[in-house]
């Protein structure tokens, strides 16, 4: 039994083509549900790294369903990592993009929602951007996108709500480059004294993403029968936090 106020994810298997991925799901009633893409698989990236775990906790605490997962070949996920070990280079990410899409499909089925928010951290930001045109992804959040080492110019073509969070001391997340890529209505925020791991700023990071999720039109609550599969799959604004008991974060926002 889960008591009110408890945070308890459950282990789920996400089917990605012929393989199964390991995932952690938490139910919720607030839209949109959120899928979380972890960092680079050969650099220790998994769904359990502090940034991904903090985001899952903060977003779930705010009432949104979350699904975080491990890419193929990571942890208990089946399949093979195709990237070369010991390098920060981002090569062919087609397999990871397929894994993200599989997680999106599962989250849609679990929540009976039509769309999700996709959130990617570091390497996961590149994976999310590659899938951003999918109709089932209504908005995207990119945490510490490594623009030094990967081409994020496709951001210019994204016509959906976009949130970008950078750490002030992250050498691979160049803000000047990002500014030139963001379209109208995108929001970029900076944690000035943090590095790419956000270890001293994890609560602030979680609150900031939740605050951004609260922008835009009010959405109806989701069907809470999350254990039943769905029959068919068919400018800057004020940021506020609701239902968390936390103060509204004061973001260092780049214009």
């Amino acid at each position: 039994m889960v008591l009110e106020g408890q945070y308890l994810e459950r282990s789920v298997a996400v089917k990605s083509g012929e393989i199964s991925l390991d995932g952690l799901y938490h139910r919720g009633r607030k839209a949109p549900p959120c899928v979380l893409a972890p960092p680079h698989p050969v650099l220790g990236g998994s769904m359990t790294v502090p940034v991904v775990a903090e985001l899952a906790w903060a977003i779930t605490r705010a009432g949104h369903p979350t699904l975080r997962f491990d890419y193929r070949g990571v942890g208990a996920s089946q399949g093979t990592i195709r990237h070369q070990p010991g390098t920060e280079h981002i090569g062919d990410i087609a397999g990871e993009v397929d894994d993200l899409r599989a997680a999106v499909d599962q989250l849609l089925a679990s929540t009976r929602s039509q769309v999700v928010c996709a959130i990617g951290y570091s390497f996961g930001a590149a994976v999310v951007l590659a899938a951003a045109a999918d109709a089932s992804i209504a908005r995207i959040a990119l945490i510490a996108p490594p623009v030094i080492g990967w081409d994020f110019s496709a951001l210019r073509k994204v016509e959906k709500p976009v949130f970008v969070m950078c750490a002030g001391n992250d050498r691979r997340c160049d803000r000047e480059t990002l500014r030139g890529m963001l379209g109208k209505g995108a929001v970029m925020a900076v944690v000035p004294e943090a590095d790419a791991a956000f270890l001293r700023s994890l609560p602030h990071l979680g609150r900031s993403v939740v605050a951004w999720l609260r922008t835009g039109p009010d959405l109806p609550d989701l069907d809470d029968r999350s254990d039943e599969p769905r029959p068919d799959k068919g400018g800057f604004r004020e940021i506020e936090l609701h239902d968390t008991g936390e103060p509204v974060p004061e973001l260092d926002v780049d214009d």
Side-chain angles (χ1 to χ4, degrees):
M1 181 176 67
V2 181
L3 301 177
E4 184 177 356
Q6 283 187 319
Y7 173 71
L8 182 62
E9 292 173 300
R10 69 176 187 183
S11 181
V12 294
V14 178
K15 194 69 173 176
S16 180
E18 298 300 315
I19 63 175
S20 292
L21 310 176
D22 191 22
L24 289 170
Y25 169 74
H26 198 295
R27 67 194 304 174
R29 296 201 64 198
K30 289 191 177 297
C34 298
V35 62
L36 305 170
H40 206 305
V42 299
L43 297 176
S46 75
M47 63 179 172
T48 62
V49 299
V51 165
V52 177
E54 177 69 24
L55 288 172
W57 181 84
I59 295 168
T60 294
R61 184 167 178 254
H64 300 264
T66 59
L67 175 60
R68 49 178 165 148
F69 65 96
D70 277 339
Y71 302 120
R72 57 191 61 199
V74 177
S77 291
Q78 296 175 340
T80 304
I81 300 173
R82 295 182 294 176
H83 302 277
Q84 293 297 318
T87 177
E88 295 182 356
H89 176 68
I90 299 177
D92 180 10
I93 62 173
E96 287 79 15
V97 174
D98 287 344
D99 294 344
L100 171 66
R101 287 175 169 142
V104 168
D105 287 346
Q106 177 141 329
L107 188 56
L108 292 173
S110 296
T111 61
R112 299 173 179 258
S113 178
Q114 297 298 315
V115 294
V116 305
C117 173
I119 302 170
Y121 169 45
S122 190
F123 171 90
V127 174
V128 165
L129 180 59
D134 293 6
S136 55
I137 297 177
R139 50 169 56 196
I140 64 172
L142 309 181
I143 311 302
V147 295
I148 306 301
W150 184 255
D151 182 8
F152 277 81
S153 61
L155 262 174
R156 297 188 181 98
K157 300 179 181 179
V158 177
E159 297 181 353
K160 301 175 179 181
V162 175
F163 179 70
V164 179
M165 174 68 86
C166 298
N169 297 324
D170 183 358
R171 63 180 176 82
R172 301 191 69 200
C173 184
D174 183 72
R175 284 180 281 163
E176 292 302 322
T177 301
L178 277 170
R179 284 192 189 97
M181 298 177 182
L182 296 180
K184 183 179 179 181
V187 174
M188 183 163 75
V190 180
V191 183
E193 298 181 0
D195 60 15
F198 292 96
L199 291 182
R200 296 183 178 181
S201 307
L202 288 175
H204 180 76
L205 173 64
R207 291 195 300 269
S208 298
V209 173
V210 169
W212 172 73
L213 284 172
R214 289 290 186 261
T215 65
D218 290 332
L219 299 173
D221 285 346
L222 300 168
D223 190 329
D224 200 29
R225 293 174 294 172
S226 55
D227 293 333
E228 301 177 20
R230 190 176 56 176
D232 295 305
K233 178 184 173 233
F236 181 81
R237 292 180 295 272
E238 182 181 357
I239 289 179
E240 272 189 87
L241 280 172
H242 298 282
D243 303 324
T244 66
E246 298 286 351
V248 176
E250 294 185 7
L251 302 180
D252 179 5
V253 177
D254 282 21
D255 296 322

